[in-house]
Amino acid sequence: MNPINRRTFLSQLTLATAAFSLPQYAFSASSMPADFVEVEITHGKIRGLRSEGVNIFKGIPYAGSVSGDHRFRRPAPLQSWTGVREALQLGAPAIQPPRRNEPAPAEDCLFLNVWTPANDNKKRPVMFYNHGGGFVIGSGGSASQDGTNLARNFDVVVVETNHRLGLLGFLYLDEIAGADYAGSGNMGLLDMVAGLKWVQENIAQFGGDPNNVMIWGESGGGAKTACLYAMPAAAPYFNKASIESGPGVRMTPKEIATETTAMLLKELNIAPKDWRKLLAVPAADLLNMQSKLPFVPPFIEKNKSVGFMRRNYGGFGPVVDGKILPHHPFDPAAPQISRNKPLLVGWNEDEYTFFAWERKDTEFATLDFAGLQQKLEPQYGPHTKKIIDTYRKARPNATAANIFIAVSSITMMGLGSVEIAEKKVKQQGAPVYLYNFGYKSEKKIPGTDYPMGTPHAMDISFKFNNEIPPRGGSAPKESFFGGNKPERFVASRNFAELWTTFARTGKPAAKNAPAWPAYNLQNRPTMRIDTKCEVINNRFSQELAMWRSIGKL
């Protein structure tokens, strides 16, 4: 293996890391008076806060210990408690580098948060969000995905979990550790299933409908959602799904997961027969070892020339083990188990500007077309000229930098999203709806005059309706990615209303948006979400035809 340090590892992560370490947003909880609220759930009573018209419960345990003897295994049974347990503070996130304004990461991390308008008997739709951060970082307590505004403004219940990540969540031991460790390569996913089971058993106490649950997520959370969409264990617990900028078409085959496990054991000087020594390795040491392996992206390409996936990747993410995850989520087809469950899928128009910002890449902004050819050739080889020619024809006014961003954005998150939509249509079951998020931030990538546009992860605060005018007459604060323009409040309202209506009815709709037709293979309607939403037929038709012709779609 080729060791890399954690800084390099995180900088190369082609997933959403924005929502996990960004400063607190303007919509953080205010100092308005709050009241305690108590509710009894399956394992005892809990106490949350009522603030600004929303009941908020944080740090609720939804399963037992996953440390010690339960490392790499199903959680221990959750023990009931007496008295009233405080649910006022976030629970520990999974093992990872420290997170801003959150508790210290810990192995025992199976906590969830709930936002609800009221703990009454009203059957509200439940929106079960899977956080981003790939499969290695993130939590259900990130500020940008605070569920307060969705709950208050759209009368829904929002649930978000912490779950095992990285090596502790996805180390494949099935072939060397025996029956007790069956499913070890997908423990992080099974944690989410445990969270969904908790929802089934408890959400009625929070004014939610256990029979109307939507799973959704962005970036790595989108890929997690794609996996849940294909998992028999998850099937009884949700009714619809949304995969956002994280098209999990394919996951890690068990053959490659086996190689990754072997590399890890070799690096730790542990013989396969002595694998139990892993149970005694400090979590901090495992995190350090994890950083020496490549990341697992949410969209693993298929190498058409050899008919199988590239073998130049490893790391820790969901494993196609034939049992917990029976097959790739959307390869060779959409999962039959979710045939009758409606689906939303799509991506942001300028995904790559996030990564340019994160990596301090300013060079792309000065490219001319000769430089663009040189920049793309290492990845696309003999196809490079055809790619550039296609984009120049389709976008005659585009600069070289514009084309670089467009190419990088669609290959990161767009092609997989289209593939999912097409395969879902071919299944001839429940509808699928394809979208592009397009609101343009005026903020510049530092060191350039190039605007962020619609970067990866900017959709999080918009779809959670966390881009809203401030209360009480105070001046609005600048959005981290979204900029200063007041129009962003309208775009956020549109996005949130489309998603909450989908959660409620299975069909996305909003007062100020046109009717959103289901995707089909004739006119391929795509909803572009902005201050003014519009349905665009056959969007990116020239570009997609080109990507198909070179085997990328």
Side-chain angles (χ1 to χ4, degrees):
M1 76 182 73
N2 296 314
I4 55 176
N5 62 39
R6 186 174 292 118
R7 179 183 177 87
T8 305
F9 170 74
L10 291 175
S11 72
Q12 290 180 350
L13 187 66
T14 51
L15 308 161
T17 57
F20 334 122
S21 57
L22 298 184
Q24 291 288 343
Y25 282 67
F27 50 79
S28 296
S30 75
S31 57
M32 290 181 67
D35 298 313
F36 292 119
V37 57
E38 294 183 2
V39 61
E40 184 155 9
I41 55 177
T42 49
H43 289 78
K45 289 185 178 180
I46 58 173
R47 178 183 293 123
L49 283 175
R50 181 162 186 82
S51 178
E52 299 182 304
V54 177
N55 293 350
I56 304 169
F57 301 83
K58 295 181 177 180
I60 305 171
Y62 65 89
S65 175
V66 289
S67 62
D69 289 344
H70 285 272
R71 180 182 277 184
F72 310 125
R73 294 175 60 191
R74 303 286 182 107
L78 180 61
Q79 300 299 310
S80 297
W81 54 87
T82 58
V84 181
R85 182 182 180 121
E86 302 284 6
L88 307 175
Q89 303 293 331
L90 296 172
I95 290 291
Q96 60 189 289
R99 296 177 53 75
R100 180 186 177 96
N101 298 319
E102 294 189 34
E107 273 200 74
D108 286 324
C109 61
L110 303 190
F111 302 97
L112 57 77
N113 311 311
V114 180
W115 293 262
T116 180
N119 290 71
D120 52 18
N121 294 318
K122 188 173 179 180
K123 291 188 174 182
R124 299 175 179 85
V126 180
M127 301 180 73
F128 185 97
Y129 189 72
N130 302 309
H131 70 74
F135 307 109
V136 293
I137 55 176
S139 82
S142 181
S144 63
Q145 63 200 40
D146 183 285
T148 300
N149 289 331
L150 274 187
R152 180 180 54 245
N153 297 337
F154 297 96
D155 199 34
V156 298
V157 179
V158 180
V159 180
E160 301 177 21
T161 67
N162 295 349
H163 41 264
R164 280 175 283 182
L165 299 170
L167 192 157
L168 290 164
F170 300 101
L171 179 65
Y172 182 64
L173 296 171
D174 290 34
E175 295 180 11
I176 61 174
D180 286 348
Y181 291 83
S184 56
N186 289 304
M187 284 297 135
L189 295 177
L190 289 170
D191 291 346
M192 285 175 256
V193 173
L196 284 165
K197 185 174 185 291
W198 183 95
V199 166
Q200 181 75 25
E201 296 171 349
N202 291 286
I203 209 65
Q205 304 303 314
F206 297 82
D209 185 353
N211 296 313
N212 189 13
V213 177
M214 168 184 168
I215 56 173
W216 58 316
E218 183 268 351
S219 194
K224 295 168 190 173
T225 302
C227 291
L228 292 173
Y229 199 73
M231 286 174 59
Y237 302 126
F238 72 94
N239 312 90
K240 56 189 74 71
S242 175
I243 299 168
E244 302 136 19
S245 295
V249 176
R250 304 169 189 91
M251 292 293 116
T252 303
K254 62 182 179 181
E255 294 81 6
I256 292 180
T258 299
E259 293 176 9
T260 301
T261 301
M263 285 193 291
L264 174 73
L265 292 172
K266 183 178 180 181
E267 194 77 12
L268 290 169
N269 294 314
I270 296 175
K273 65 181 178 61
D274 297 325
W275 64 268
R276 280 191 171 275
K277 290 182 178 180
L278 285 169
L279 304 180
V281 177
D285 292 347
L286 293 179
L287 181 62
N288 184 56
M289 298 307 304
Q290 175 181 303
S291 71
K292 297 181 180 181
L293 291 167
F295 63 84
V296 174
F299 174 42
I300 299 174
E301 293 184 35
K302 194 169 189 176
N303 187 326
K304 305 291 185 180
S305 63
V306 298
F308 195 61
M309 283 187 256
R310 299 178 300 173
R311 300 185 68 82
N312 61 341
Y313 65 89
F316 301 101
V319 179
V320 183
D321 59 8
K323 298 174 184 176
I324 302 303
L325 188 57
H327 45 73
H328 295 292
F330 285 89
D331 187 31
Q336 184 63 25
I337 197 169
S338 290
R339 182 178 185 273
N340 295 319
K341 295 180 179 181
L343 181 65
L344 277 171
V345 63
W347 76 100
N348 298 352
E349 289 179 351
D350 307 299
E351 298 273 2
Y352 187 79
T353 58
F354 167 84
F355 300 98
W357 163 79
E358 182 195 37
R359 299 166 185 171
K360 298 180 172 57
D361 175 13
T362 60
E363 180 264 344
F364 84 90
T366 63
L367 289 173
D368 57 18
F369 284 102
L372 178 63
Q373 175 90 16
Q374 292 179 341
K375 195 168 179 69
L376 294 180
E377 270 182 344
Q379 184 173 359
Y380 298 107
H383 301 302
T384 304
K385 186 177 185 302
K386 183 175 184 178
I387 293 169
I388 294 173
D389 288 347
T390 299
Y391 273 78
R392 293 191 75 172
K393 181 180 178 182
R395 308 170 188 217
N397 297 321
T399 66
N402 295 154
I403 290 176
F404 175 73
I405 294 296
V407 167
S408 301
S409 298
I410 201 169
T411 53
M412 271 186 171
M413 303 297 173
L415 299 182
S417 299
V418 172
E419 184 174 354
I420 285 174
E422 291 180 350
K423 287 178 174 176
K424 182 66 178 171
V425 167
K426 291 175 183 177
Q427 195 176 50
Q428 298 183 336
V432 58
Y433 301 89
L434 185 67
Y435 77 91
N436 295 138
F437 180 44
Y439 175 81
K440 300 303 179 191
S441 170
E442 79 283 6
K443 292 191 74 171
K444 300 292 196 295
I445 297 172
T448 78
D449 288 325
Y450 200 94
M452 295 291 290
T454 317
H456 190 64
M458 192 176 88
D459 56 309
I460 299 172
S461 61
F462 279 73
K463 69 195 177 195
F464 274 90
N465 199 212
N466 288 334
E467 301 282 349
I468 62 173
R471 294 180 166 191
S474 60
K477 293 182 180 179
E478 182 181 48
S479 168
F480 191 86
F481 280 142
N484 273 318
K485 295 185 295 184
E487 299 97 287
R488 71 184 191 275
F489 307 145
V490 177
S492 180
R493 173 82 192 188
N494 289 340
F495 207 150
E497 188 175 355
L498 288 165
W499 258 241
T500 52
T501 304
F502 179 73
R504 182 168 279 107
T505 68
K507 180 175 175 58
K511 179 181 177 181
N512 293 319
W516 187 345
Y519 195 72
N520 62 70
L521 300 183
Q522 287 72 51
N523 57 357
R524 302 176 185 272
T526 301
M527 177 67 81
R528 184 179 184 274
I529 301 167
D530 201 336
T531 53
K532 181 180 179 181
C533 297
E534 59 178 324
V535 175
I536 303 173
N537 289 333
N538 294 305
R539 193 165 199 214
F540 306 127
S541 58
Q542 295 180 62
E543 297 96 319
L544 292 175
M546 179 274 298
W547 291 118
R548 287 189 181 90
S549 74
I550 64 172
K552 293 290 185 178
L553 177 60

